[in-house]
């Protein structure tokens, strides 16, 4: 029994897209062609691979098993073919991630490559939105603040953010706080109304829930840094962003835990990105530098 590579590629695209329509768009094929490929593969294998639903398709257990067995091999082969046939003379990488980290850490790491043919286009956003764009090929590389757990991606840890509770010197509480009590009179500056970064710090360091609301909400960590340096109150920031201000004395630590909270950032590329593709080369440089 001979199964062509085209049939397997079509099957894998449908499995990942969850629909014939989505796979047809990714592959640049008509929907009838995709359907014909699926029927041919099912006939050759002698078992159904999908259950057709009102909206999209659901893989059978045989479909899931086939995707697991062939996915990595098909992706590697496709990546090698892309490298050999489609490598651009000037590489453009569409990169997504959190605005503060891209501006503060990623762009400086890539700056030396801009004079050597690399072009970069950036998109700021939240992890789920950026990963959607990565999978539909609008982005080539994503820095994610949560570990991506989607099919069709290669994911590598790249950076551990350490977090610090900081404020301008006027808000000093005398000695590092071990409970939230000394901080009650200090306004809080947060990234979002729910203050997720501060809440996590309270749980991790003080072993208690944050019961206050933020006094200032500013959805940009760089803006929060500016506000806190100006005396707006206290906040929790990654040390890569506030380290210089701490060293200069513009900011002080309000707590000094033995094990400060950390969050791991990840680099995600599509699994079919070849080993010499621009996205993978940029990823590897960031891993070296960061």
């Amino acid at each position: 029994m001979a199964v062509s590579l085209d049939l397997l590629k079509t099957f894998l695209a449908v499995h990942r897209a969850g629909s014939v329509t989505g796979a047809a768009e990714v592959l640049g094929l008509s929907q009838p062609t995709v359907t014909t490929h699926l029927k041919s593969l099912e006939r050759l294998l002698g078992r159904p691979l999908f259950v057709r639903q009102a909206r999209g398709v659901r893989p059978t257990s045989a479909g899931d098993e086939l995707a697991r067995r062939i996915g990595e091999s098909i992706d590697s082969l496709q990546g090698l073919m892309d490298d050999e046939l489609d490598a651009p003379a000037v590489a453009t990488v569409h990169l997504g991630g959190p605005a503060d980290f891209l501006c503060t850490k990623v762009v400086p790491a890539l700056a030396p490559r801009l004079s050597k043919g690399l072009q970069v286009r950036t998109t700021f956003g939240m992890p789920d939105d950026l990963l959607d764009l990565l999978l539909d090929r609008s982005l080539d590389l994503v820095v994610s603040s949560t570990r991506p757990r989607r099919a069709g991606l290669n994911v590598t840890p790249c950076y551990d953010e350490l977090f610090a509770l900081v404020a301008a010197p006027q808000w000093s509480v005398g000695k590092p706080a071990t409970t939230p009590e000394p901080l009650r009179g200090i306004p809080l500056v947060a990234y979002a109304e729910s203050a997720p970064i501060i809440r996590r710090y309270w749980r991790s360091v003080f072993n208690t829930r944050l019961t206050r609301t933020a006094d200032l909400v500013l959805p940009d960590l760089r803006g929060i840094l500016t506000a806190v340096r100006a005396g707006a109150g206290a906040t929790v920031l990654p040390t890569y962003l506030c380290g210089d201000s701490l060293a200069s004395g513009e900011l002080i630590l309000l707590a000094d835990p033995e094990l400060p909270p950390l969050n791991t950032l990840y680099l995600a590329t599509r699994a079919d990105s070849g080993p010499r593709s621009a996205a993978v080369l940029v990823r590897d440089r960031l891993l070296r530098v960061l």
Side-chain angles (χ1 to χ4, degrees):
M1 179 182 64
V3 177
S4 76
L5 179 61
D6 285 341
L7 298 187
L8 294 176
K9 286 174 60 179
T10 299
F11 158 76
L12 195 59
V14 174
H15 188 273
R16 289 172 173 172
S19 71
V20 170
T21 301
E25 292 177 355
V26 169
L27 296 170
L29 300 174
S30 67
Q31 292 184 40
T33 298
V34 172
T35 300
T36 299
H37 283 189
L38 285 182
K39 289 181 178 178
S40 297
L41 184 59
E42 289 177 326
R43 184 171 62 252
L44 287 168
L45 296 179
R47 59 178 66 89
L49 299 173
F50 295 100
V51 176
R52 277 66 177 176
Q53 298 178 316
R55 298 185 64 180
V57 295
R58 175 174 55 82
T60 63
S61 58
D64 281 335
E65 174 64 12
L66 180 60
R68 185 189 65 78
R69 293 178 64 184
I70 71 169
E72 185 174 350
S73 297
I74 295 292
D75 289 337
S76 296
L77 180 58
Q78 184 63 48
L80 288 171
M81 292 177 65
D82 289 345
D83 286 343
E84 293 299 326
L85 300 177
D86 299 321
V90 176
T92 300
V93 173
H94 294 264
L95 171 65
D100 53 279
F101 190 75
L102 259 59
C103 292
T104 306
K105 302 295 290 185
V106 172
V107 170
L110 297 180
R113 308 302 302 176
L114 297 179
S115 64
K116 299 180 180 180
L118 176 65
Q119 296 183 355
V120 178
R121 303 292 182 267
T122 57
T123 300
F124 302 148
M126 301 301 288
D128 284 342
D129 297 333
L130 295 173
L131 293 173
D132 287 342
L133 293 174
L134 179 62
L135 287 169
D136 75 12
R137 299 182 179 272
S138 298
L139 293 176
D140 304 308
L141 176 65
V142 165
V143 180
S144 177
S145 56
T146 59
R147 183 178 183 88
R149 301 186 182 280
R150 304 195 193 188
L153 297 179
N154 284 333
V155 177
T156 310
C158 72
Y159 191 87
D160 285 335
E161 296 179 300
L162 294 176
F163 289 92
L165 177 61
V166 298
Q170 69 196 65
W171 296 111
S172 173
V173 292
K175 61 181 181 178
T178 57
T179 73
E181 294 304 318
L183 311 174
R184 286 192 175 277
I186 306 176
L188 291 181
V189 183
Y191 179 83
E193 194 65 47
S194 60
I197 301 175
I198 301 177
R199 287 184 183 280
R200 181 181 176 189
Y201 191 95
W202 252 237
R203 288 196 307 269
S204 175
V205 174
F206 299 137
N207 195 30
T208 189
R209 291 176 59 249
L210 178 70
T211 57
R212 300 169 52 190
T213 58
D215 298 275
L216 172 62
V217 174
L218 192 61
D220 187 306
L221 293 184
R222 294 162 299 169
I224 289 177
L225 175 62
T226 300
V228 172
R229 283 192 306 210
T235 194
V236 175
L237 288 172
T239 54
Y240 72 77
L241 197 60
C242 65
D244 288 345
S245 296
L246 286 169
S248 69
E250 290 181 282
L251 295 179
I252 59 170
L253 289 172
L254 295 179
D256 191 17
E258 183 177 350
L259 295 175
L262 66 80
N263 180 60
T264 301
L265 298 176
Y266 299 87
L267 289 172
T269 57
R270 288 186 301 277
D272 61 2
S273 298
R276 296 195 307 279
S277 65
V280 170
L281 293 176
V282 168
R283 180 200 67 188
D284 291 347
R285 174 171 177 80
L286 291 177
L287 289 173
R288 290 193 302 270
V289 174
L290 298 178

